[in-house]
Amino acid sequence: MSNPLNNSVPVTDDDSLLVSACQRGNVEAFGTLVEKYQKRILNAAYRMLGDYDEACEAVQETFLSAYKAIGKFRGDASFSTWLHGICLNHARNRLKQRRQAATHHGPSLDDPNTKESGSVLTATDDPAPDERLEKKELQEKVQACINALDADHREVIILRDIQGMSYEEIATVLKLSEGTVKSRLFRARDALRVHLGKAMGTL
Amino acid sequence: MKCDHIRELLSPYLDKLVSTREEEAIRSHLAQCPACRQILEELKKTQALVGRLEDVDPPPWLAQRIMAEVRNAHQEEKRIGFWKRLFYSWPIKVPVQVLATILVVIFAVQVYRLIEPSKITMPQPMEGVVMAPKDVDRQAPQEVAPPAVSSPGGAALTDRRSRVPVKPQKAPPPEQFRVADGSAVLKNEATSSRQAEEARIENGIALPSPQAAPHLEEKRAPAVAAKEEAGQKASMPAAAYNEDRPAAKADQGVLKKSKALSADSTLMGAAVVVPVAVPLTLRTPNPAAAATDIEAYLNSVRPKSFTKELHKDQITITATLSSDEAVGLIKKLKMLGSVSPGSYQAPRGETTIIRLSILQGN
């Protein structure tokens, strides 16, 4: 069974050199780290939040927080892992704010089966003839289903099935035990399976 | 194995993270369970769909914007770091606001201390002049007192207070004396100022009274007329600095001095009436002991003012007393030695300035 992991970036020792330089006050060394990880972090944020612009904001916040906290980075975990942790914190906060705001407004972005979430289609809609469009719509459907998950479930799926992290890494990022990661991942995948089934008719 | 249990294992099974035993169990169950097979298939597809999600690319401005913020934060840290190092390396951890307040208070106190002595650097006439140069510590405070003509009450008392307890409320505000309460006050002030001036000039003494001088200039004009006893003044200061001053001259000086003192006590006592000045002489075998005795006695009486001067062959004690107190003092003196004049008559209730010279002898 294949797992195309199109988001993996090898973690090298260059990171620790760059981090040390930053800790010693070299701001430009941080720039190198930004260039290296911005795409990866953006995608994690985007899949978490479901909104491109918001994801960009979250990425800025993530890197700024990381810079301010660089002195505290010990190197127990990789820089990438540490950065993901910061990113997910920011994403979680935004989701919480969104939920709180949603109680005053209408239905949220997160419900895949309402027209509010824009491009969500059900199985009964006419499929577009163009393959590219179909692909795009499919992707949007999947994203919509991810949006429908609890934040906890979203996190593990993104880290495992999009970022390609090991259970161990996921445990570090989320500060959980591997056993918890295992069971949470099962529940997340199962929930997504159900949502996708509804959204697509059949899987 | 039951379906539920198997289904839970399907997720790690997909990740190839089950034990060999678990794998065996799953395979054999799946062979017999279409429902679980279905679920496994759906899980696989889910994973594939998620995996096939395409990356989004960051906008071109994202990295630049991030670095701009980061550089700002860097500058901020440097700035704060400078101040932190400045303050927090101190052994005492003092918050900045508290520190600022403390510094302001210290500054204010320093300023106050700089200003305040000027109140007491006014010339007081003869007292300062007649001092024998040697007796520094006794007279130093007195030397400061003399210049304080304009606000003698406060200052003189302040200084004398260190030697003789004086009732604090006897120090009227200086303003009283700048304003002409009565011409007598002004005149007296001017008199003593003039005397002080002349004393200084004659003897080349540098009395500290920079502020007094201009102040005195003004007062001098109206008071010139009142001055002509001044003729004799010259001799007195000169006499003061001669250490063997004959009693006769002393008396003369005493007269002048009494006048000055009366002016002084006028200013101090806030009374318009000029008190009577009385020169006394005591002859006693042990002047020093007598002086100590007298001083002790006067301490208990708490006169309005008190000074004691030591000269080569006499001790001079000056005190402002009520007439009753003066009588009491004379009685005491008689017990110590011979006193001249032998009796004292003054209108009752009036303040008197006693100028007592204690000489060695019988």
Side-chain angles (χ1 to χ4, degrees), chain A residues 18-38:
Chain A
L18 290 166
V19 168
S20 305
C22 286
Q23 287 170 333
R24 275 180 273 119
N26 184 343
V27 192
E28 300 310 315
F30 193 76
T32 310
L33 290 166
V34 170
E35 298 282 344
K36 189 169 172 184
Y37 288 108
Q38 62 170 336

Side-chain angles (χ1 to χ4, degrees), chain A residues 43 47 52 167 193 203, chain B residues 15 42 45 54 56-57:
Chain A
N43 277 281
R47 295 299 167 195
Y52 185 77
Y167 279 35
R193 174 184 70 86
L203 279 173
Chain B
D15 295 328
E42 287 178 359
K45 280 184 187 166
E54 282 174 356
V56 293
D57 285 316

Side-chain angles (χ1 to χ4, degrees), chain B residues 149 180 182-195 197-198 215-231 233 263:
Chain B
V149 167
S183 56
V185 178
L186 261 184
K187 274 193 197 161
N188 284 314
E189 190 174 2
T191 306
S192 19
S193 330
R194 177 87 189 269
Q195 287 169 344
E197 287 279 323
E198 298 208 13
H215 175 73
L216 297 174
E217 299 301 316
E218 315 166 352
K219 302 257 169 78
R220 192 178 286 205
V224 165
K227 209 47 56 48
E228 280 345 295
E229 318 115 319
K233 272 201 308 289

Side-chain angles (χ1 to χ4, degrees), chain B residues 152-158 161 165-173 176-177 264-271 301-305 320-322 325 351:
Chain B
L157 287 173
T158 307
R161 205 175 297 165
V166 180
K167 293 174 200 143
Q169 53 271 33
K170 286 192 185 167
Q176 273 193 26
F177 306 115
D264 186 29
S265 59
T266 302
L267 297 165
M268 288 189 304
V301 160
R302 293 173 141 250
K304 279 193 181 136
S305 72
T320 307
L321 304 169
S322 70
E325 289 164 352
T351 318

Side-chain angles (χ1 to χ4, degrees), chain B residues 98-113:
Chain B
V98 174
L99 185 65
T101 309
I102 291 171
L103 287 172
V104 167
V105 167
I106 292 172
F107 177 71
V109 167
Q110 291 303 323
V111 169
Y112 177 72
R113 283 170 65 190

